[in-house]
Coordinates of all heavy atoms in Angstrom, one line a residue:
M1 N 5.5 12.3 7.3 CA 5.8 11.0 6.7 C 5.1 10.8 5.4 O 3.9 11.0 5.2 CB 5.3 9.9 7.7 CG 5.5 8.5 7.2 SD 4.9 7.3 8.4 CE 5.6 5.8 7.7
S2 N 5.9 10.5 4.4 CA 5.3 10.5 3.0 C 4.3 9.4 2.8 O 3.4 9.5 2.0 CB 6.4 10.4 2.0 OG 7.3 9.3 2.3
F3 N 4.5 8.2 3.5 CA 3.5 7.1 3.3 C 2.1 7.6 3.8 O 1.1 7.3 3.2 CB 3.9 5.9 4.0 CG 3.0 4.8 3.8 CD1 2.9 4.0 2.6 CD2 2.0 4.4 4.8 CE1 2.0 3.0 2.4 CE2 1.1 3.4 4.6 CZ 1.1 2.7 3.4
Q4 N 2.1 8.3 5.0 CA 0.8 8.8 5.5 C 0.2 9.8 4.5 O -1.0 9.8 4.4 CB 1.0 9.3 6.9 CG -0.3 9.8 7.5 CD -1.3 8.6 7.7 OE1 -0.9 7.5 8.2 NE2 -2.5 8.8 7.2
Q5 N 1.0 10.6 3.9 CA 0.5 11.5 2.9 C -0.1 10.8 1.8 O -1.2 11.2 1.2 CB 1.7 12.4 2.3 CG 2.2 13.4 3.3 CD 3.5 14.1 2.8 OE1 4.2 13.6 1.9 NE2 3.8 15.3 3.3
L6 N 0.4 9.6 1.4 CA -0.2 8.8 0.3 C -1.5 8.3 0.7 O -2.5 8.4 0.0 CB 0.8 7.7 -0.1 CG 0.3 6.7 -1.1 CD1 0.0 7.5 -2.4 CD2 1.3 5.6 -1.4
V7 N -1.6 7.8 2.0 CA -2.9 7.3 2.5 C -3.9 8.5 2.5 O -5.1 8.3 2.1 CB -2.8 6.6 3.9 CG1 -4.1 6.3 4.5 CG2 -1.9 5.4 3.7
D8 N -3.5 9.6 3.0 CA -4.4 10.8 3.1 C -4.8 11.2 1.7 O -6.0 11.6 1.5 CB -3.7 12.0 3.8 CG -3.4 11.7 5.2 OD1 -4.0 10.8 5.8 OD2 -2.6 12.4 5.8
A9 N -3.9 11.2 0.7 CA -4.3 11.5 -0.7 C -5.3 10.5 -1.2 O -6.2 10.9 -2.0 CB -3.0 11.6 -1.5
C10 N -5.2 9.3 -0.9 CA -6.2 8.3 -1.3 C -7.5 8.5 -0.7 O -8.6 8.3 -1.4 CB -5.7 6.9 -1.0 SG -4.3 6.3 -2.0
Q11 N -7.6 9.0 0.5 CA -8.8 9.4 1.1 C -9.5 10.5 0.4 O -10.7 10.5 0.2 CB -8.6 9.8 2.6 CG -8.2 8.6 3.5 CD -7.9 9.1 4.9 OE1 -7.5 10.2 5.1 NE2 -8.1 8.2 5.8
A12 N -8.7 11.4 -0.1 CA -9.3 12.6 -0.8 C -9.6 12.4 -2.2 O -10.4 13.1 -2.8 CB -8.3 13.8 -0.6
D13 N -8.9 11.4 -2.8 CA -9.0 11.2 -4.3 C -9.3 9.7 -4.6 O -8.4 8.9 -4.6 CB -7.7 11.7 -5.0 CG -7.7 11.6 -6.5 OD1 -8.6 10.9 -7.1 OD2 -6.8 12.1 -7.1
T14 N -10.5 9.4 -4.8 CA -10.9 8.0 -5.1 C -10.3 7.4 -6.4 O -10.0 6.2 -6.5 CB -12.4 7.8 -5.1 OG1 -13.0 8.6 -6.1 CG2 -13.0 8.1 -3.8
T15 N -10.0 8.3 -7.3 CA -9.4 7.9 -8.6 C -7.9 7.4 -8.3 O -7.5 6.3 -8.8 CB -9.3 9.0 -9.6 OG1 -10.7 9.4 -9.8 CG2 -8.7 8.5 -10.9
L16 N -7.2 8.1 -7.4 CA -5.9 7.7 -7.0 C -5.9 6.4 -6.2 O -5.2 5.5 -6.5 CB -5.2 8.8 -6.2 CG -3.9 8.4 -5.5 CD1 -2.8 8.1 -6.6 CD2 -3.4 9.6 -4.6
A17 N -6.9 6.3 -5.3 CA -7.0 5.1 -4.5 C -7.3 3.9 -5.4 O -6.7 2.8 -5.2 CB -8.2 5.3 -3.5
E18 N -8.1 4.0 -6.4 CA -8.4 2.9 -7.3 C -7.2 2.5 -8.1 O -6.9 1.4 -8.3 CB -9.6 3.2 -8.2 CG -10.9 3.1 -7.5 CD -11.3 1.7 -7.1 OE1 -10.9 0.7 -7.7 OE2 -12.1 1.6 -6.1
A19 N -6.4 3.6 -8.6 CA -5.2 3.3 -9.4 C -4.2 2.6 -8.5 O -3.5 1.7 -9.0 CB -4.7 4.6 -9.9
I20 N -4.0 3.0 -7.3 CA -3.1 2.3 -6.4 C -3.5 0.9 -6.1 O -2.7 -0.1 -6.1 CB -2.9 3.1 -5.1 CG1 -2.0 4.3 -5.5 CG2 -2.2 2.3 -4.0 CD1 -1.7 5.3 -4.3
K21 N -4.8 0.7 -5.9 CA -5.3 -0.6 -5.6 C -5.0 -1.6 -6.7 O -4.8 -2.8 -6.5 CB -6.9 -0.5 -5.4 CG -7.5 -1.8 -5.1 CD -9.0 -1.6 -4.9 CE -9.8 -2.9 -4.8 NZ -11.2 -2.7 -4.7
T22 N -5.0 -1.1 -8.0 CA -4.8 -2.0 -9.1 C -3.4 -1.9 -9.7 O -3.2 -2.6 -10.7 CB -5.9 -1.7 -10.2 OG1 -5.7 -0.3 -10.6 CG2 -7.3 -1.9 -9.7
S23 N -2.5 -1.2 -9.0 CA -1.2 -1.1 -9.5 C -0.5 -2.5 -9.6 O -0.7 -3.3 -8.7 CB -0.3 -0.2 -8.6 OG 1.0 -0.1 -9.1
E24 N 0.3 -2.7 -10.6 CA 1.0 -4.0 -10.8 C 2.3 -4.1 -10.2 O 2.9 -5.2 -10.2 CB 1.1 -4.2 -12.3 CG -0.3 -4.4 -13.0 CD -0.2 -4.8 -14.4 OE1 0.9 -5.2 -14.9 OE2 -1.3 -4.9 -15.1
S25 N 2.8 -3.0 -9.6 CA 4.1 -3.1 -8.9 C 4.2 -2.1 -7.8 O 3.5 -1.1 -7.8 CB 5.3 -2.9 -9.9 OG 5.3 -1.6 -10.4
I26 N 5.2 -2.3 -6.9 CA 5.4 -1.3 -5.9 C 6.0 0.0 -6.5 O 5.7 1.1 -6.1 CB 6.4 -1.9 -4.8 CG1 5.7 -3.0 -4.1 CG2 6.8 -0.8 -3.8 CD1 6.6 -3.8 -3.2
D27 N 6.9 -0.2 -7.5 CA 7.4 1.0 -8.2 C 6.2 1.8 -8.9 O 6.3 3.0 -8.9 CB 8.4 0.6 -9.3 CG 9.7 0.1 -8.7 OD1 10.0 0.5 -7.5 OD2 10.4 -0.7 -9.3
G28 N 5.2 1.1 -9.3 CA 4.0 1.7 -9.9 C 3.3 2.5 -8.9 O 2.8 3.6 -9.2
I29 N 3.2 2.0 -7.7 CA 2.6 2.8 -6.6 C 3.4 4.0 -6.3 O 2.8 5.1 -6.1 CB 2.4 1.9 -5.3 CG1 1.4 0.8 -5.6 CG2 2.1 2.7 -4.1 CD1 1.4 -0.3 -4.5
C30 N 4.7 3.9 -6.2 CA 5.6 5.1 -6.0 C 5.4 6.1 -7.1 O 5.4 7.3 -6.8 CB 7.0 4.6 -5.9 SG 7.3 3.6 -4.4
A31 N 5.3 5.6 -8.4 CA 5.2 6.5 -9.5 C 3.8 7.3 -9.4 O 3.8 8.5 -9.7 CB 5.3 5.8 -10.8
L32 N 2.8 6.6 -9.0 CA 1.5 7.2 -8.9 C 1.5 8.3 -7.8 O 1.0 9.4 -7.9 CB 0.4 6.2 -8.6 CG -0.1 5.3 -9.7 CD1 -0.9 4.1 -9.2 CD2 -0.9 6.1 -10.7
A33 N 2.2 7.9 -6.7 CA 2.3 8.9 -5.6 C 3.1 10.1 -6.1 O 2.6 11.3 -5.8 CB 3.1 8.3 -4.4
L34 N 4.2 9.9 -6.8 CA 5.0 11.1 -7.3 C 4.1 12.0 -8.3 O 4.3 13.2 -8.2 CB 6.2 10.5 -8.0 CG 7.3 11.6 -8.3 CD1 7.7 12.3 -7.0 CD2 8.5 10.9 -8.9
Q35 N 3.3 11.3 -9.1 CA 2.4 12.1 -9.9 C 1.5 13.0 -9.1 O 1.0 14.0 -9.7 CB 1.6 11.2 -10.8 CG 2.3 10.5 -11.9 CD 1.5 9.4 -12.6 OE1 0.3 9.3 -12.4 NE2 2.1 8.7 -13.5
H36 N 1.2 12.7 -7.9 CA 0.4 13.5 -7.0 C 1.2 14.3 -6.0 O 0.7 14.8 -5.0 CB -0.6 12.6 -6.3 CG -1.7 12.1 -7.2 ND1 -1.5 11.0 -8.1 CD2 -2.9 12.6 -7.5 CE1 -2.6 10.9 -8.8 NE2 -3.5 11.8 -8.4
G37 N 2.5 14.5 -6.3 CA 3.4 15.3 -5.5 C 3.9 14.7 -4.2 O 4.3 15.4 -3.3
I38 N 3.8 13.4 -4.1 CA 4.2 12.7 -2.9 C 5.4 11.8 -3.2 O 5.3 10.9 -4.0 CB 3.1 11.8 -2.3 CG1 1.8 12.7 -2.0 CG2 3.5 11.0 -1.1 CD1 0.6 11.9 -1.8
S39 N 6.5 12.0 -2.6 CA 7.7 11.2 -2.8 C 7.8 10.1 -1.7 O 7.9 10.4 -0.5 CB 9.0 12.1 -2.7 OG 10.1 11.3 -2.9
V40 N 7.7 8.9 -2.2 CA 7.7 7.8 -1.2 C 8.5 6.7 -1.9 O 8.5 6.4 -3.1 CB 6.2 7.3 -0.9 CG1 5.5 6.8 -2.1 CG2 6.2 6.2 0.2
T41 N 9.4 6.0 -1.1 CA 10.2 5.0 -1.6 C 9.5 3.6 -1.5 O 8.6 3.5 -0.7 CB 11.5 4.9 -0.7 OG1 11.2 4.4 0.6 CG2 12.3 6.2 -0.7
P42 N 10.0 2.6 -2.3 CA 9.4 1.3 -2.1 C 9.5 0.7 -0.7 O 8.5 0.1 -0.2 CB 10.2 0.4 -3.1 CG 10.7 1.4 -4.1 CD 10.9 2.7 -3.4
E43 N 10.6 1.0 0.0 CA 10.7 0.5 1.3 C 9.7 1.2 2.3 O 9.1 0.5 3.1 CB 12.1 0.9 1.9 CG 13.2 0.1 1.2 CD 13.6 0.7 -0.2 OE1 13.3 1.8 -0.5 OE2 14.3 -0.1 -1.0
E44 N 9.4 2.5 2.1 CA 8.4 3.1 2.9 C 7.0 2.5 2.6 O 6.2 2.4 3.5 CB 8.3 4.6 2.6 CG 9.5 5.4 3.1 CD 9.6 6.8 2.7 OE1 9.3 7.1 1.5 OE2 9.9 7.7 3.5
V45 N 6.7 2.2 1.3 CA 5.4 1.6 1.0 C 5.3 0.3 1.6 O 4.2 0.0 2.2 CB 5.3 1.5 -0.6 CG1 4.1 0.7 -1.0 CG2 5.2 2.9 -1.2
I46 N 6.3 -0.6 1.6 CA 6.3 -1.9 2.2 C 6.1 -1.8 3.7 O 5.2 -2.5 4.2 CB 7.5 -2.7 1.8 CG1 7.5 -3.1 0.3 CG2 7.6 -4.0 2.7 CD1 8.8 -3.6 -0.2
K47 N 6.9 -1.0 4.3 CA 6.7 -0.8 5.8 C 5.4 -0.2 6.2 O 4.8 -0.7 7.2 CB 7.9 0.0 6.3 CG 9.2 -0.8 6.3 CD 10.4 0.1 6.8 CE 11.7 -0.7 6.8 NZ 12.8 0.0 7.3
G48 N 4.9 0.8 5.4 CA 3.7 1.4 5.7 C 2.5 0.4 5.5 O 1.6 0.3 6.4
A49 N 2.6 -0.4 4.5 CA 1.5 -1.4 4.2 C 1.5 -2.5 5.3 O 0.5 -2.9 5.7 CB 1.7 -2.0 2.8
A50 N 2.7 -2.8 5.7 CA 2.8 -3.8 6.8 C 2.2 -3.3 8.1 O 1.5 -4.0 8.8 CB 4.3 -4.2 7.1
A51 N 2.4 -2.0 8.4 CA 1.8 -1.4 9.6 C 0.3 -1.4 9.5 O -0.4 -1.7 10.4 CB 2.4 0.0 9.8
I52 N -0.2 -1.0 8.3 CA -1.6 -1.0 8.0 C -2.3 -2.3 8.2 O -3.3 -2.5 8.9 CB -1.9 -0.4 6.6 CG1 -1.6 1.1 6.6 CG2 -3.4 -0.7 6.3 CD1 -1.7 1.6 5.2
T53 N -1.7 -3.4 7.6 CA -2.3 -4.7 7.6 C -2.2 -5.3 9.0 O -3.1 -6.1 9.4 CB -1.7 -5.7 6.6 OG1 -0.3 -5.7 6.8 CG2 -1.9 -5.2 5.2
S54 N -1.3 -4.8 9.8 CA -1.3 -5.3 11.2 C -2.3 -4.7 12.0 O -2.7 -5.2 13.1 CB 0.1 -5.1 11.8 OG 0.4 -3.8 12.1
E55 N -2.9 -3.6 11.6 CA -4.0 -2.9 12.3 C -5.4 -3.2 11.8 O -6.3 -2.8 12.4 CB -3.7 -1.4 12.2 CG -2.4 -1.0 12.9 CD -2.1 0.5 12.7 OE1 -2.9 1.2 12.1 OE2 -1.0 0.9 13.0
L56 N -5.5 -3.8 10.6 CA -6.8 -4.1 10.1 C -7.5 -5.3 10.7 O -6.8 -6.2 11.1 CB -6.7 -4.4 8.5 CG -6.2 -3.2 7.7 CD1 -6.0 -3.7 6.2 CD2 -7.1 -2.0 7.7
S57 N -8.8 -5.2 10.8 CA -9.6 -6.3 11.4 C -9.7 -7.4 10.3 O -9.4 -7.2 9.1 CB -11.0 -5.8 11.8 OG -11.7 -5.5 10.6
D58 N -10.2 -8.6 10.7 CA -10.4 -9.6 9.7 C -11.3 -9.2 8.6 O -11.1 -9.5 7.5 CB -10.9 -10.9 10.4 CG -9.8 -11.6 11.3 OD1 -8.6 -11.3 11.0 OD2 -10.2 -12.4 12.2
A59 N -12.4 -8.5 9.0 CA -13.3 -8.0 8.0 C -12.7 -7.0 7.0 O -12.9 -7.1 5.8 CB -14.5 -7.3 8.7
D60 N -11.8 -6.1 7.5 CA -11.1 -5.2 6.6 C -10.2 -6.0 5.7 O -10.1 -5.7 4.5 CB -10.3 -4.2 7.5 CG -11.2 -3.2 8.2 OD1 -12.3 -2.9 7.8 OD2 -10.7 -2.8 9.3
L61 N -9.4 -6.9 6.3 CA -8.5 -7.7 5.5 C -9.2 -8.5 4.4 O -8.7 -8.7 3.3 CB -7.7 -8.7 6.4 CG -6.6 -8.0 7.2 CD1 -6.0 -9.0 8.2 CD2 -5.6 -7.4 6.3
A62 N -10.4 -8.9 4.7 CA -11.2 -9.7 3.6 C -11.4 -8.9 2.4 O -11.6 -9.4 1.3 CB -12.5 -10.2 4.2
G63 N -11.5 -7.5 2.5 CA -11.7 -6.7 1.4 C -10.4 -6.3 0.6 O -10.5 -5.6 -0.4
V64 N -9.3 -6.7 1.1 CA -8.0 -6.5 0.4 C -7.8 -7.6 -0.6 O -7.7 -8.7 -0.3 CB -6.9 -6.4 1.4 CG1 -5.5 -6.1 0.7 CG2 -7.1 -5.3 2.5
A65 N -7.6 -7.2 -1.8 CA -7.4 -8.1 -2.9 C -6.0 -8.5 -3.2 O -5.1 -7.7 -3.1 CB -8.0 -7.5 -4.2
G66 N -5.8 -9.8 -3.6 CA -4.5 -10.2 -4.2 C -3.4 -10.5 -3.2 O -3.6 -10.2 -2.0
G67 N -2.3 -10.9 -3.7 CA -1.1 -11.0 -2.8 C -0.8 -12.4 -2.3 O -1.7 -13.2 -2.2
S68 N 0.4 -12.6 -1.9 CA 0.8 -13.8 -1.2 C 2.0 -13.5 -0.4 O 2.8 -12.6 -0.7 CB 1.1 -14.9 -2.3 OG 2.2 -14.5 -3.1
W69 N 2.2 -14.3 0.7 CA 3.4 -14.2 1.5 C 4.3 -15.3 1.1 O 4.0 -16.4 0.9 CB 3.0 -14.4 3.0 CG 2.1 -13.4 3.5 CD1 0.7 -13.6 3.7 CD2 2.3 -12.0 3.8 NE1 0.2 -12.4 4.1 CE2 1.1 -11.4 4.2 CE3 3.5 -11.3 3.8 CZ2 1.0 -10.1 4.6 CZ3 3.4 -9.9 4.1 CH2 2.2 -9.4 4.5
S70 N 5.6 -14.9 0.9 CA 6.6 -15.9 0.5 C 7.7 -16.1 1.5 O 8.6 -16.9 1.2 CB 7.2 -15.5 -0.9 OG 7.9 -14.3 -0.8
G71 N 7.7 -15.5 2.6 CA 8.7 -15.7 3.6 C 9.4 -14.4 4.0 O 9.0 -13.3 3.6
N72 N 10.5 -14.5 4.6 CA 11.2 -13.3 5.2 C 12.4 -12.9 4.4 O 13.0 -11.9 4.7 CB 11.7 -13.6 6.6 CG 10.6 -13.8 7.5 OD1 9.4 -13.5 7.3 ND2 10.9 -14.4 8.7
E73 N 12.8 -13.6 3.3 CA 14.0 -13.3 2.7 C 14.1 -12.0 2.0 O 13.2 -11.7 1.2 CB 14.4 -14.4 1.7 CG 13.4 -14.8 0.6 CD 12.3 -15.8 1.1 OE1 12.3 -16.2 2.3 OE2 11.4 -16.0 0.3
G74 N 15.1 -11.2 2.3 CA 15.4 -10.0 1.6 C 14.6 -8.7 1.8 O 14.7 -7.7 1.1
V75 N 13.8 -8.7 2.8 CA 13.0 -7.5 3.1 C 13.2 -7.1 4.5 O 13.0 -7.8 5.5 CB 11.5 -7.7 2.8 CG1 10.7 -6.5 3.1 CG2 11.3 -8.2 1.4
D76 N 13.6 -5.8 4.7 CA 13.9 -5.3 6.1 C 12.8 -5.5 7.1 O 13.0 -5.7 8.2 CB 14.2 -3.8 6.0 CG 15.6 -3.5 5.5 OD1 16.4 -4.4 5.4 OD2 15.9 -2.3 5.1
S77 N 11.5 -5.3 6.6 CA 10.4 -5.3 7.6 C 10.1 -6.7 8.0 O 9.2 -6.9 8.9 CB 9.2 -4.7 6.9 OG 8.7 -5.6 5.8
G78 N 10.8 -7.7 7.5 CA 10.5 -9.1 7.8 C 9.4 -9.7 7.0 O 8.9 -10.8 7.2
L79 N 8.9 -8.9 6.0 CA 7.8 -9.4 5.2 C 8.3 -9.5 3.8 O 9.1 -8.7 3.3 CB 6.6 -8.4 5.2 CG 6.0 -8.2 6.5 CD1 4.9 -7.0 6.4 CD2 5.3 -9.4 7.0
A80 N 7.8 -10.4 3.0 CA 8.1 -10.5 1.6 C 6.8 -10.7 0.9 O 5.9 -11.4 1.3 CB 9.1 -11.7 1.4
F81 N 6.7 -10.1 -0.3 CA 5.5 -10.2 -1.1 C 5.8 -11.0 -2.3 O 6.9 -10.9 -2.9 CB 5.0 -8.8 -1.4 CG 4.6 -8.0 -0.2 CD1 5.5 -7.2 0.4 CD2 3.4 -8.1 0.4 CE1 5.2 -6.5 1.6 CE2 3.0 -7.5 1.5 CZ 4.0 -6.6 2.1
G82 N 4.8 -11.7 -2.8 CA 4.9 -12.5 -4.0 C 5.3 -11.6 -5.2 O 5.0 -10.5 -5.2
A83 N 5.9 -12.2 -6.2 CA 6.4 -11.5 -7.3 C 5.2 -11.1 -8.2 O 4.1 -11.7 -8.1 CB 7.3 -12.3 -8.1
G84 N 5.3 -10.0 -8.9 CA 4.3 -9.6 -9.9 C 3.2 -8.9 -9.3 O 3.3 -8.2 -8.2
A85 N 2.0 -8.9 -9.9 CA 0.9 -8.1 -9.5 C 0.3 -8.5 -8.2 O -0.2 -7.6 -7.5 CB -0.2 -8.2 -10.6
G86 N 0.5 -9.7 -7.8 CA -0.1 -10.2 -6.5 C 0.4 -9.4 -5.3 O -0.3 -9.0 -4.5
G87 N 1.7 -9.3 -5.2 CA 2.3 -8.6 -4.1 C 2.0 -7.1 -4.1 O 1.6 -6.6 -3.1
A88 N 2.0 -6.5 -5.2 CA 1.6 -5.1 -5.3 C 0.2 -4.9 -5.0 O -0.3 -3.9 -4.5 CB 2.0 -4.5 -6.7
G89 N -0.6 -5.9 -5.5 CA -2.1 -5.9 -5.2 C -2.4 -5.9 -3.7 O -3.3 -5.2 -3.3
L90 N -1.6 -6.7 -3.0 CA -1.8 -6.7 -1.5 C -1.5 -5.4 -0.9 O -2.2 -4.9 -0.1 CB -0.9 -7.8 -0.9 CG -1.0 -7.9 0.6 CD1 -2.4 -8.3 1.1 CD2 0.0 -8.9 1.1
I91 N -0.4 -4.8 -1.3 CA 0.0 -3.5 -0.8 C -1.0 -2.4 -1.2 O -1.4 -1.6 -0.4 CB 1.5 -3.1 -1.2 CG1 2.4 -4.1 -0.5 CG2 1.8 -1.7 -0.9 CD1 3.9 -4.0 -1.0
G92 N -1.3 -2.4 -2.5 CA -2.2 -1.4 -3.0 C -3.6 -1.6 -2.3 O -4.3 -0.6 -2.0
G93 N -4.0 -2.8 -2.1 CA -5.3 -3.1 -1.4 C -5.2 -2.6 0.0 O -6.2 -2.1 0.5
A94 N -4.1 -2.8 0.7 CA -4.0 -2.3 2.1 C -4.1 -0.8 2.1 O -4.8 -0.3 3.0 CB -2.7 -2.8 2.7
I95 N -3.4 -0.1 1.2 CA -3.5 1.3 1.2 C -4.9 1.8 0.9 O -5.5 2.7 1.6 CB -2.5 1.9 0.2 CG1 -1.1 1.6 0.5 CG2 -2.7 3.4 0.0 CD1 -0.1 1.9 -0.6
F96 N -5.5 1.1 0.0 CA -6.9 1.4 -0.4 C -7.9 1.2 0.8 O -8.7 2.1 1.2 CB -7.4 0.6 -1.6 CG -8.8 0.8 -2.0 CD1 -9.1 1.9 -2.8 CD2 -9.8 -0.1 -1.6 CE1 -10.4 2.1 -3.1 CE2 -11.1 0.1 -2.0 CZ -11.4 1.3 -2.8
A97 N -7.7 0.1 1.5 CA -8.6 -0.2 2.6 C -8.3 0.8 3.7 O -9.3 1.2 4.4 CB -8.3 -1.7 3.1
A98 N -7.1 1.2 4.0 CA -6.8 2.2 5.0 C -7.4 3.5 4.7 O -7.9 4.2 5.6 CB -5.3 2.3 5.2
S99 N -7.5 3.8 3.4 CA -8.1 5.1 3.0 C -9.6 5.1 3.2 O -10.2 6.2 3.4 CB -7.7 5.5 1.6 OG -8.4 4.7 0.7
L100 N -10.2 3.9 3.2 CA -11.6 3.8 3.4 C -12.1 3.9 4.9 O -13.1 4.3 5.2 CB -12.2 2.5 2.8 CG -12.1 2.4 1.3 CD1 -12.6 1.1 0.8 CD2 -12.8 3.6 0.6
I101 N -11.2 3.3 5.8 CA -11.6 3.2 7.2 C -11.2 4.3 8.1 O -11.5 4.3 9.2 CB -11.1 1.8 7.7 CG1 -9.6 1.7 7.7 CG2 -11.8 0.7 7.0 CD1 -9.1 0.4 8.3
K102 N -10.4 5.2 7.6 CA -10.0 6.3 8.5 C -11.0 7.4 8.7 O -11.9 7.6 7.9 CB -8.7 7.0 8.0 CG -7.5 6.0 8.3 CD -6.3 6.8 8.4 CE -5.3 5.9 9.0 NZ -4.2 6.6 9.6

């Protein structure tokens, strides 16, 4: 699974983890992954981040920066992220947090 490869790569490379954490878009996260030889779609990133955040404790979630929930419209996973840097920040933060706790 390419999303898991991304999380694993973040565990091994703190520079990549920080870059993903501060990415301004989901497409930016996918581009960073591709630069590291990992092909992941925006849909995989959203679904993977949703799975991660459903598994994080309240303390882990407190360390995830940015983001907002805007409802269910238009996203297969039933989640929607705020436009701009906030939504990507939530996803990047979730990936970053997962890379720290594994």
Side-chain angles (χ1 to χ4, degrees):
M1 175 178 193
S2 55
F3 181 78
Q4 185 59 50
Q5 290 173 337
L6 179 58
V7 172
D8 293 344
C10 287
Q11 290 174 334
D13 183 346
T14 57
T15 303
L16 173 60
E18 285 293 332
I20 285 178
K21 180 180 173 185
T22 60
S23 181
E24 294 187 9
S25 71
I26 296 170
D27 289 335
I29 292 171
C30 294
L32 286 166
L34 194 55
Q35 290 173 3
H36 287 82
I38 301 164
S39 179
V40 61
T41 66
E43 293 80 15
E44 289 172 320
V45 171
I46 291 169
K47 287 179 182 180
I52 288 170
T53 56
S54 70
E55 296 174 8
L56 295 176
S57 69
D58 289 340
D60 293 330
L61 287 173
V64 178
S68 63
W69 299 104
S70 63
N72 295 344
E73 54 276 359
V75 180
D76 283 345
S77 66
L79 299 174
F81 298 91
L90 176 64
I91 292 172
I95 296 168
F96 178 79
S99 72
L100 294 177
I101 60 176
K102 285 210 169 203

